[in-house]
Each structure stands twice: as C-alpha cells, then as structure tokens.
Amino acid sequence: GANDQSFMTVVPNPDTAGNNSWYVAKFVRDMDGVPWGGFYSGTPVDLSVNKYVHVKVWKPRISPVKFKIESPGGNIEVASKYPQTLTNQWEDMVFDFSAAIANYGTIVFMPDFEDPLTLTGDVDIYFDDIIINNDSMPNTAAVTVVEDYEILPLNMMYGNMTVDSSSMTLIPNP
C-alpha cells in the first residue's frame, strides 16, 4: 500500500520461553499496511512426501495466519491448521499441504492476515523456525529446516583484550 511502512529484520529473540533460538525475524506491522503483509522467498520446498509446514509465531494479538506455496503449476494457500490461541507467547502454527504434489519454487508467509486491516497502531510480530515434516501436531521435529534465522557466530581476533576495544555489530546494509 502507498502508506505501508512495514518492515522485517533479524533480531535477538525477545522471549526465549517457548523458543530458545538466539535470533528470530521481526515484522513491524504498520497500521496502514496491506492485509496480506508478510514475505515471499524464492526458497524452493519439496512437499511431495512431508506435507506440513510449521512456523513459530509470537504476536500481541489474535489474527489469521496464512502460508502459501507457489509454482508454475499452481498455488496453494492455507490458514493454520490450528487457529492462533496465544498472545505474547510463542505458538507453533501448522499448515497442512496434503494437496501438494511436488516441489514449489516460492513460499509466502502472512503472519497477520486481517482483511480489512483495522489496526490503530503498529505492532511487532516475531516468527522463527520455518520447518517441514510429516506431523500435523505442533512442536514436532523438523525433517527439513527451511529457515531458522540463526546467524553464524563470529569471534573477533584482535590483540590484547584488556586494551583493544574493537567490537562487531550486525546492522542493515548501509
């Protein structure tokens, strides 16, 4: 939308209760955003055997969550198998792609699909651990990890640690 100032970034996990990842994706949902706000990625997924996509979501409000897969042969968009019941806590959203028959070249995630969007202020939504398996129950083990937002840990190499005040920080590309 013309006034949509929504954005995403990878941040330290703000709530490790229920999700012990170091880093997660943060979606700042602009109150003037489009209902289908979220992301898409050209990350191919194979759903020929394992039919369930899981995404851990932390939201301050209850609203529909959708996941879509796209290919030249057709698209499949589904709401979470289990509607969101928690706020301000991590919840594993499960998406049933039993109708999928092969590889899909694009994934689309819409963590706050309210239509029409009725926000009165911006909200912060977090998500993590996009996985695929063949288990429809929440919080089950991954067969394939699509994305977990973990960043390669780096240790600086520098001189005398008592004198050298060098540091590293992860920032957006300037």
Side-chain angles (χ1 to χ4, degrees):
N3 297 320
D4 192 344
Q5 300 297 310
S6 300
F7 67 92
M8 286 188 197
T9 187
V10 175
V11 299
N13 184 353
D15 183 0
T16 56
N19 179 11
N20 60 5
S21 294
W22 287 90
Y23 294 95
V24 299
K26 177 181 180 181
F27 176 38
V28 176
R29 176 77 150 127
D30 187 284
M31 66 183 226
D32 296 317
V34 293
W36 56 88
F39 78 83
Y40 73 93
S41 173
T43 301
V45 294
D46 180 0
L47 296 167
S48 58
V49 175
N50 296 296
K51 302 293 187 175
Y52 296 95
V53 174
H54 295 246
V55 183
K56 289 181 185 165
V57 178
W58 188 106
K59 294 170 45 177
R61 70 191 205 117
I62 302 284
S63 64
V65 180
K66 292 188 178 185
F67 201 96
K68 182 164 87 169
I69 51 176
E70 300 176 345
S71 76
N75 303 333
I76 303 172
E77 178 178 303
V78 297
S80 178
K81 183 174 173 63
Y82 307 102
Q84 178 190 357
T85 60
L86 304 173
T87 58
N88 301 316
Q89 300 178 58
W90 287 103
E91 187 166 13
D92 187 25
M93 309 305 289
V94 181
F95 304 91
D96 182 354
F97 286 103
S98 295
I101 56 172
N103 293 317
Y104 290 80
T106 301
I107 60 172
V108 182
F109 182 57
M110 297 157 282
D112 187 45
F113 197 95
E114 179 186 50
D115 190 10
L117 188 61
T118 61
L119 290 173
T120 57
D122 299 349
V123 294
D124 295 342
I125 298 170
Y126 302 91
F127 56 93
D128 193 19
D129 296 336
I130 302 172
I131 68 156
I132 299 171
N133 67 20
N134 211 26
D135 195 331
S136 66
M137 295 305 297
N139 302 308
T140 53
V143 171
T144 303
V145 175
V146 177
E147 181 61 66
D148 64 7
Y149 303 101
E150 293 307 307
I151 298 169
L152 178 67
L154 303 174
N155 295 298
M156 287 190 59
M157 297 182 293
Y158 49 90
N160 183 341
M161 290 179 57
T162 60
V163 180
D164 191 340
S165 61
S166 300
S167 66
M168 251 189 296
T169 305
L170 182 67
I171 63 167
N173 185 348

